[in-house]
Amino acid sequence: MQKTTSVSALTVLDLHDTLLEMGVTTLEQMTAAGLHREQLIDHGSHALPAQEQRLDESLLLKLWQLAANNSELPHIGLLIGRRFNPATRGILANWLFQCTQVSEALDVFQKHIALMNPSEHWTFSEVEDSLLLQLSFAADKPYPQAAIERSLSAWLRWCEEMTGQAIRPRRAEFTFSRPAHHQAHVEVFGDHLVYDSPRNCLQLPRSVLDWPIRGADDYLKQIVEQRALQHFERLQAKCELLARVRQLIQTDLQQGVSIEKVCKELHVSRPTLYRRLKQEGTSFTQLVGEVRRNLAFEQIRQGLPVAQVSDDLGFKDVSTFHRAFKRWFNQSPGEYRGRQRGARTP
């Protein structure tokens, strides 16, 4: 049986209840989609605490599809993101609320996001006096626009809850086109919005990093952190194979990726590697594409010459790299750099 990614059970439960409460879907629709609330949390005597329970990611994706199909609330992702329910804080959220300041919380969040959803990826960087927060979802998971809007707006709301301070981005970028509910974006993210960008990104004042988190308790943090790390290590053990294969692919890109070499490094046969990757819901070809895509975006963003990036990633020529980049990001490397220059122009 094919293995699938697991996510925080409380994340699924919260979205399930929110969609029903907002009238986005009905119990009949939930049932038809195979979603039964009583099965989302195990209340048995030997069950893990609800904050540590996991569910198949497909359940979360079904809920997001139901949300995306609601034409009466096209800004449903923003509405969900701005809600705050302390009762559905999972183990990661509880850890964040005990951190000393935002910089510590961001570091914990970035490194341990798999405790919530391993298909959601965040990166944080400092550029001059700004803090850049970038969000992406695993390319092979069909998360809709509403999920992107929810995650970006939720981060702002949770930061406000942790610090007690209002936060307003200097700029926000989205990979999707300008929506009909653009004004709802303005209300959440401010006036400086960029659509059809190759990234989902929030630009904030760097000073946010130094904001203290109210109510943080060092004793509670030690307890939650220890428990969270134990849980995280169990999850990581399951992901160890994929991480190792990705690492070997990246090392081998310029010389030409060889599955035979990867198999040799892992001391497994080719059929065994194929089988194990299939059990994890992916393939060697798919992993090569993911590694190339992520590195292409990062190196082009850093301003490296297109020819160098093409060579580093093992493409046979620059034109092949151009086609791949446009397929991944709906624009050429030159068009992306033009947008970057335009964004920096006062």
Side-chain angles (χ1 to χ4, degrees), residues 112-328:
H112 304 93
I113 186 63
L115 288 169
M116 184 176 73
N117 184 353
S119 291
E120 187 170 330
H121 308 292
W122 288 83
T123 60
F124 306 96
S125 58
E126 298 175 48
V127 179
E128 297 178 348
D129 65 339
S130 293
L131 169 66
L132 298 181
L133 286 69
Q134 294 186 54
L135 162 72
S136 64
F137 283 96
D140 60 322
K141 301 297 173 62
Y143 281 94
Q145 176 181 319
I148 296 173
E149 294 172 322
R150 178 268 168 196
S151 289
L152 291 173
S153 58
W155 192 92
L156 295 176
R157 178 60 193 275
W158 281 69
C159 188
E160 291 170 357
E161 290 292 336
M162 287 190 292
T163 65
Q165 300 190 57
I167 185 169
R168 189 76 163 175
R170 291 175 171 174
R171 174 188 176 90
E173 300 177 32
F174 309 96
T175 54
F176 47 83
S177 299
R178 174 172 168 149
H181 55 280
H182 164 74
Q183 190 55 41
H185 278 210
V186 173
E187 294 172 5
V188 175
F189 302 112
D191 299 318
H192 302 287
L193 306 178
V194 177
Y195 298 102
D196 294 313
S197 172
R199 63 183 182 177
N200 298 299
C201 178
L202 299 178
Q203 180 181 350
L204 307 171
R206 190 204 168 280
S207 58
V208 170
L209 290 171
D210 301 321
W211 288 2
I213 294 177
R214 56 182 180 175
D217 186 301
D218 189 60
Y219 174 68
L220 290 178
K221 183 177 74 173
Q222 292 181 45
I223 296 174
V224 176
E225 179 179 5
Q226 181 181 18
R227 185 78 179 190
L229 287 175
Q230 291 173 350
H231 189 44
F232 182 74
E233 288 171 4
R234 290 195 297 269
L235 294 176
Q236 288 300 99
K238 299 178 181 179
C239 301
E240 186 176 346
L241 172 66
L242 299 185
R244 181 64 175 140
V245 172
R246 288 191 180 100
Q247 180 185 40
L248 292 171
I249 288 172
Q250 183 170 336
T251 302
D252 235 12
L253 276 177
Q254 191 171 28
Q255 292 73 33
V257 179
S258 165
I259 190 170
E260 285 77 14
K261 184 175 179 180
V262 172
C263 290
K264 183 177 180 181
E265 290 288 337
L266 295 176
H267 305 291
V268 298
S269 67
R270 187 167 178 163
T272 297
L273 181 60
Y274 278 142
R275 176 176 53 79
R276 292 177 64 183
L277 292 179
K278 184 177 181 181
Q279 289 175 337
E280 298 298 335
T282 188
S283 68
F284 187 77
T285 300
Q286 185 173 320
L287 291 177
V288 171
E290 289 176 8
V291 171
R292 277 179 158 170
R293 180 184 187 276
N294 294 337
L295 289 175
F297 174 77
E298 185 60 29
Q299 292 184 12
I300 290 296
R301 186 185 67 82
Q302 292 173 358
L304 296 180
V306 174
Q308 179 183 334
V309 177
S310 174
D311 185 57
D312 287 347
L313 301 187
F315 286 91
K316 63 179 181 180
D317 52 49
V318 174
S319 62
T320 303
F321 171 67
H322 266 270
R323 289 194 296 273
F325 193 92
K326 194 159 188 175
R327 184 176 69 253
W328 290 327

